Amino acid sequence: MDAGEKPFPSFHSLQILIFISLMLCNLAFVKENVSNPSPFRREFNEFRPFYYCERCLASKVQDTASATGINNYPDEQDIDIIATYSDTSGAIRISRVKMRDLSASWVWENPMDVHHDQSTSSETVVDSFQSVIRSGENAEHYSDGHQDGRIPYLYNSSMSPVKRMRQIARKERRELRTAQLIQQDKETENQMAQAAIERSKSLDTTVKRKYNIWRQDFVHPHSDSILKLMQDQMIMAKAYASIAKSKNESELYSALMAHSKASQSAIGEAHSDAELHPSALDQAKAMGHILSRAKDKLYDCDIVARTFRAMVQSTEDKVTAMKKKTAFLIQLAAKTIPKRLQCLPLQLAADYYMQGYYSKLDLDKEKLEDPSLYHYAIFSDNVLATSVVVNSTVLHAKEPEKHVFHVVTDKLNFAAMRMWFLVNPPMKATIQVENIDDFKWLNSSYCSVLRQLESARTKEYYFKVNHPTTVSAGEDNLKYRNPKYLSMLNHLRFYLPEVYPKLDKILFLDDDIVVQKDLTPLWSVDLQGMVNGAVETCKESFHRFDKYLNFSNPKISENFDPNACGWAFGMNIFDLKEWKRRNITGIYHRWQDMNEDRTLWKLGSLPPGLITFYNLTHPLDRGWHVLGLGYDPALNQSEIENAAVIHYNGNYKPWLDLAVSKYNSYWSRYVMFDNHYLQFCDIRQ
């Protein structure tokens, strides 16, 4: 040993030193030629597959280590282990040992496995080592790029820890989003299921007999088989009886007619087999025998076909005649006052004069002309109907003391109308009853309708005795012979500024309406410069101008659009200031004069109203006014219940027996049936 060389310690001491250095320092492989690291990196790149697949790494390294030992890797002899240790004096020492000198029991630990909490077996070899702090220029070289004190790995992984963490974060976000979507789907399904349950609660499962495919006939196909058979037999018997009579087969004719009469008696008013007379089945069998005889003796295809065609034609003629008769009777019933309704005004008028109510004066005259209050106009000769309008309006008003009702009636009903509201005043509201005959300005020289009613041509058309007023007159003309179309109460709505000169706005109400909500907000509706606020009635092609006006006349076709939407009279808010400014009454007079010969429209107040307020009507929300309760039995029930005003326009008025029964309750709930006048006249619910 040369004097300049350091003494090499014994093998036992070397083991102790290496153990201590492994405990105190980080180990790393370094190449013998540090100045050229590329071969070193290429050397370790050969071992990368080991840490890319942890399972493969464990199995392959285990096999290699068990077979040849850890010191048998290629070129191990070129790899030195540099160890640092402290001697007994505390001085730092450096020693070098070849990797091939280590035994096969040595195991190298990968720091990555510690960070991931993955323990390895004693047979596992890891591909990366921490670099050691070297002395001299090598130590400085390693510390140049690592000022933070962290020791770099000697290899560059294709997937860095940051990238791996991002991949894990993306995976977690995907799982979280998937869980959220699954939860949303479950919530949506629960909501749909709950909605279906709620809809099923309101489903009407009642069997609709005689109206649709769910009638009992389709549940039990043979339930009415006997009844249908007997009805068909009667038709065939009638046909064969006609043929037998034409061929002088008197005996067969008499037998067919006798059996037809017996079958009709057995059927009676039955609508199903259960309602038939017990002898009906025997009669059907007997009719079958006589029809079989008639067929054998009389059947001829051409003759039977002609007979059936004649029967169809005869039936159609009867149906047409019945329709005309029905229209006539409905019009007659609509304008005929029932006895109990005649009793009411007569009894009221008698008490009005006998009990001295005629001397009482109207109170709250200041309110009658106060434009800051809510004013209503009702023109009617029906005491009971007017009371329902007033009662229903006041009942739903939030501030009834601010509501003023102006009722105008004719001379015949003035005493009765005034008496009713004197003894039955509306709660806190103010009411005024006037007689139309007291309006002296309303005369034939000013009013076109009055002038026309005095003309000989109008009298001849409407009042002449020999004028066709029977069924032969046709359905169209009958409806216009209702006295209401000739009453000035029906046309007084075109003179509102003259009737109430000191008011700014007024709400017009027909006497066949019922109020179901507070109408106060109508006075706040912005009419946008229009005169009339009304609900439009046109749906698709129905209730447009061409339904009411004669567009074959150039005066109409040149001034109006046939597809313009019609609107409803019955609940209208009128701006009386704008009315005066635009001279609406003058427009009405001009068109009424042009229609003296009834070529522009027939009688009534709606057609002249459509013309007078053309392009001057502001459409209100449909919820304010629902029409049709006086003629349409198929209205939407929810629309009726949610409407502010419901209108019994048509012939089926709620106070008549013609009324649609299912709509009666909306009107009758506001009738004071416990009133002694109504009980005296037998007006009951």
Side-chain angles (χ1 to χ4, degrees):
M1 183 179 299
D2 294 338
E5 292 181 355
K6 296 180 181 179
F8 193 82
S10 64
F11 187 77
H12 180 69
S13 300
L14 180 61
Q15 287 180 337
I16 294 174
L17 291 173
I18 292 173
F19 179 78
I20 294 173
S21 64
L22 290 173
M23 296 295 292
L24 299 176
C25 306
N26 293 318
L27 297 180
F29 289 107
V30 295
K31 201 166 173 52
E32 196 171 56
N33 188 2
V34 180
S35 61
N36 187 14
S38 58
F40 181 84
R41 292 179 180 175
R42 286 196 303 269
E43 214 169 63
F44 273 82
N45 283 340
E46 297 176 2
F47 300 96
R48 281 185 181 175
F50 290 149
Y51 68 81
Y52 283 140
C53 178
E54 294 180 359
R55 296 178 182 176
C56 300
L57 171 67
S59 60
K60 189 168 183 179
V61 172
Q62 184 177 2
D63 295 340
T64 306
S66 62
T68 61
I70 197 170
N71 58 339
N72 291 330
Y73 289 126
D75 299 331
E76 278 182 341
Q77 65 276 11
D78 297 330
I79 301 175
D80 294 341
I81 299 175
I82 306 300
T84 61
Y85 64 96
S86 300
D87 59 7
T88 56
S89 63
I92 301 298
R93 302 288 185 179
I94 297 178
S95 180
R96 176 181 299 172
V97 64
K98 290 289 186 180
M99 188 174 179
R100 64 176 176 271
D101 294 333
L102 299 178
S103 66
S105 62
W106 284 82
V107 178
W108 304 101
E109 183 178 89
N110 187 355
M112 294 287 291
D113 296 339
V114 177
H115 292 302
H116 290 82
D117 296 326
Q118 296 176 352
S119 59
T120 58
S121 62
S122 61
E123 292 84 6
T124 305
V125 178
V126 184
D127 302 88
S128 61
F129 294 86
Q130 294 179 334
S131 62
V132 297
I133 303 175
R134 305 177 64 116
S135 60
E137 72 274 11
N138 289 340
E140 293 175 0
H141 172 74
Y142 277 97
S143 62
D144 287 342
H146 308 284
Q147 300 296 333
D148 57 356
R150 291 181 296 176
I151 302 174
Y153 295 114
L154 294 179
Y155 66 91
N156 292 328
S157 172
S158 63
M159 182 181 292
S160 66
V162 175
K163 186 175 181 181
R164 183 176 180 83
M165 292 301 294
R166 288 177 180 172
Q167 187 180 39
I168 294 172
R170 283 195 298 270
K171 183 178 179 182
E172 291 177 351
R173 287 196 298 270
R174 290 193 199 101
E175 292 176 351
L176 179 61
R177 181 58 178 163
T178 302
Q180 291 176 347
L181 293 174
I182 292 174
Q183 183 64 25
Q184 290 178 1
D185 290 342
K186 289 181 179 179
E187 292 176 357
T188 303
E189 290 178 1
N190 292 337
Q191 292 176 358
M192 294 175 62
Q194 188 64 30
I197 292 172
E198 293 299 326
R199 286 196 300 270
S200 65
K201 291 179 180 179
S202 60
L203 180 63
D204 185 8
T205 57
T206 306
V207 177
K208 308 294 186 183
R209 287 182 61 90
K210 307 299 180 186
Y211 291 102
N212 54 34
I213 63 172
W214 301 111
R215 55 180 287 187
Q216 291 290 344
D217 295 0
F218 293 87
V219 179
H220 305 288
H222 304 293
S223 60
D224 298 338
S225 58
I226 299 176
L227 176 62
K228 293 176 181 178
L229 173 63
M230 295 183 69
Q231 290 172 342
D232 292 341
Q233 286 179 338
M234 291 172 63
I235 295 173
M236 292 299 301
K238 186 176 181 180
Y240 280 126
S242 177
I243 298 173
K245 188 175 182 180
S246 64
K247 294 187 175 183
N248 295 323
E249 296 286 346
S250 57
E251 182 181 355
L252 188 56
Y253 171 79
S254 300
L256 288 169
M257 295 304 295
H259 279 81
S260 294
K261 186 176 181 180
S263 295
Q264 183 62 54
S265 177
I267 292 175
E269 297 181 357
H271 298 286
S272 65
D273 286 356
E275 300 173 358
L276 288 173
H277 191 273
S279 63
L281 183 58
D282 294 336
Q283 178 58 39
K285 293 179 180 179
M287 176 67 88
H289 290 305
I290 193 64
L291 287 176
S292 179
R293 284 178 51 199
K295 179 179 179 182
D296 294 339
K297 195 169 186 178
L298 303 174
Y299 183 78
D300 181 272
C301 184
D302 293 336
I303 296 176
V304 171
R306 287 196 299 271
T307 302
F308 277 124
R309 282 197 295 269
M311 291 173 63
V312 169
Q313 184 64 41
S314 175
T315 304
E316 289 179 350
D317 294 340
K318 290 180 180 178
V319 169
T320 302
M322 289 300 297
K323 285 183 177 180
K324 291 183 177 181
K325 185 180 292 186
T326 300
F328 177 81
L329 293 175
I330 288 176
Q331 294 296 331
L332 181 63
K335 63 184 180 181
T336 301
I337 302 175
K339 181 179 179 180
R340 60 183 183 277
L341 291 182
Q342 285 182 330
C343 167
L344 180 62
L346 291 175
Q347 188 64 34
L348 287 168
D351 289 349
Y352 178 76
Y353 291 106
M354 291 178 65
Q355 298 180 15
Y357 282 93
Y358 61 90
S359 60
K360 292 189 177 182
L361 301 176
D362 292 327
L363 301 177
D364 299 326
K365 287 188 176 181
E366 295 80 8
K367 285 188 175 182
L368 299 179
E369 298 178 349
D370 188 352
S372 64
L373 301 180
Y374 308 113
H375 294 265
Y376 301 84
I378 306 172
F379 305 147
S380 172
D381 58 359
N382 190 324
V383 176
L384 185 62
T386 305
S387 70
V388 170
V389 176
V390 175
N391 290 343
S392 61
T393 305
V394 173
L395 185 63
H396 294 95
K398 294 181 179 179
E399 297 177 299
E401 66 276 2
K402 293 185 178 181
H403 294 255
V404 182
F405 296 88
H406 303 270
V407 178
V408 180
T409 187
D410 55 17
K411 185 177 182 179
L412 182 63
N413 294 279
F414 172 73
M417 190 76 74
R418 193 162 185 268
M419 179 64 182
W420 174 268
F421 288 108
L422 285 174
V423 297
N424 302 293
M427 179 183 58
K428 297 182 181 179
T430 303
I431 191 162
Q432 177 191 32
V433 179
E434 295 181 278
N435 183 359
I436 192 173
D437 289 343
D438 292 337
F439 300 154
K440 303 304 180 183
W441 50 268
L442 194 63
N443 48 58
S444 58
S445 62
Y446 176 65
C447 178
S448 301
V449 173
L450 282 176
R451 185 170 58 254
Q452 291 172 9
L453 290 177
E454 292 177 358
S455 67
R457 180 165 31 176
T458 302
K459 291 179 179 178
E460 181 181 2
Y461 181 78
Y462 288 102
F463 304 110
K464 192 173 181 179
V465 177
N466 60 0
H467 192 276
T469 57
T470 59
V471 177
S472 60
E475 180 182 355
D476 294 336
N477 292 332
L478 284 174
K479 64 179 293 186
Y480 296 105
R481 287 180 172 79
N482 193 318
K484 73 175 185 177
Y485 293 110
L486 303 175
S487 172
M488 273 309 300
L489 288 174
N490 199 39
H491 292 266
L492 190 61
R493 63 192 70 186
F494 294 103
Y495 301 93
L496 287 172
E498 286 84 352
V499 181
Y500 311 108
K502 295 186 179 181
L503 301 181
D504 297 334
K505 278 189 175 182
I506 196 165
L507 183 64
F508 172 78
L509 297 177
D510 264 342
D511 62 358
D512 54 353
I513 64 101
V514 173
V515 178
Q516 301 185 128
K517 292 183 180 179
D518 183 24
L519 300 182
T520 303
L522 282 172
W523 275 265
S524 301
V525 173
D526 183 9
L527 297 181
Q528 301 178 3
M530 301 298 177
V531 180
N532 174 28
V535 171
E536 293 182 337
T537 57
C538 54
K539 297 178 181 179
E540 298 178 356
S541 61
F542 300 106
H543 293 277
R544 298 188 182 272
F545 270 44
D546 59 355
K547 177 180 175 63
Y548 304 99
L549 305 177
N550 179 18
F551 276 86
S552 62
N553 191 302
K555 294 179 182 178
I556 296 295
S557 59
E558 293 173 2
N559 291 279
F560 305 100
D561 179 8
N563 293 317
C565 189
W567 44 267
F569 254 140
M571 190 215 68
N572 309 79
I573 184 73
F574 290 109
D575 186 340
L576 300 184
K577 284 186 175 181
E578 194 68 21
W579 183 310
K580 297 173 185 176
R581 192 180 72 83
R582 294 178 179 267
N583 190 23
I584 298 300
T585 305
I587 297 174
Y588 164 72
H589 283 161
R590 181 167 60 89
W591 283 100
Q592 192 71 47
D593 290 338
M594 286 192 288
N595 191 48
E596 186 172 0
D597 56 357
R598 298 175 305 282
T599 57
L600 304 184
W601 70 85
K602 297 182 180 181
L603 282 184
S605 59
L606 181 56
L610 296 177
I611 288 178
T612 302
F613 297 101
Y614 183 65
N615 290 333
L616 295 174
T617 299
H618 175 73
L620 300 177
D621 185 87
R622 290 186 182 273
W624 281 111
H625 190 185
V626 170
L627 299 97
L629 280 77
Y631 68 89
D632 188 357
L635 293 176
N636 187 296
Q637 205 76 12
S638 62
E639 289 185 2
I640 295 175
E641 294 172 356
N642 295 327
V645 171
I646 55 176
H647 196 169
Y648 290 83
N649 57 312
N651 289 320
Y652 306 145
K653 302 300 183 185
W655 54 84
L656 299 176
D657 293 335
L658 294 172
V660 181
S661 58
K662 66 178 180 178
Y663 300 150
N664 279 349
S665 61
Y666 298 109
W667 185 81
S668 60
R669 67 184 62 169
Y670 301 105
V671 179
M672 296 185 296
F673 290 104
D674 57 345
N675 184 276
H676 70 279
Y677 283 107
L678 270 61
Q679 292 180 350
F680 178 81
C681 294
D682 197 26
I683 299 176
R684 292 174 291 181
Q685 190 170 2

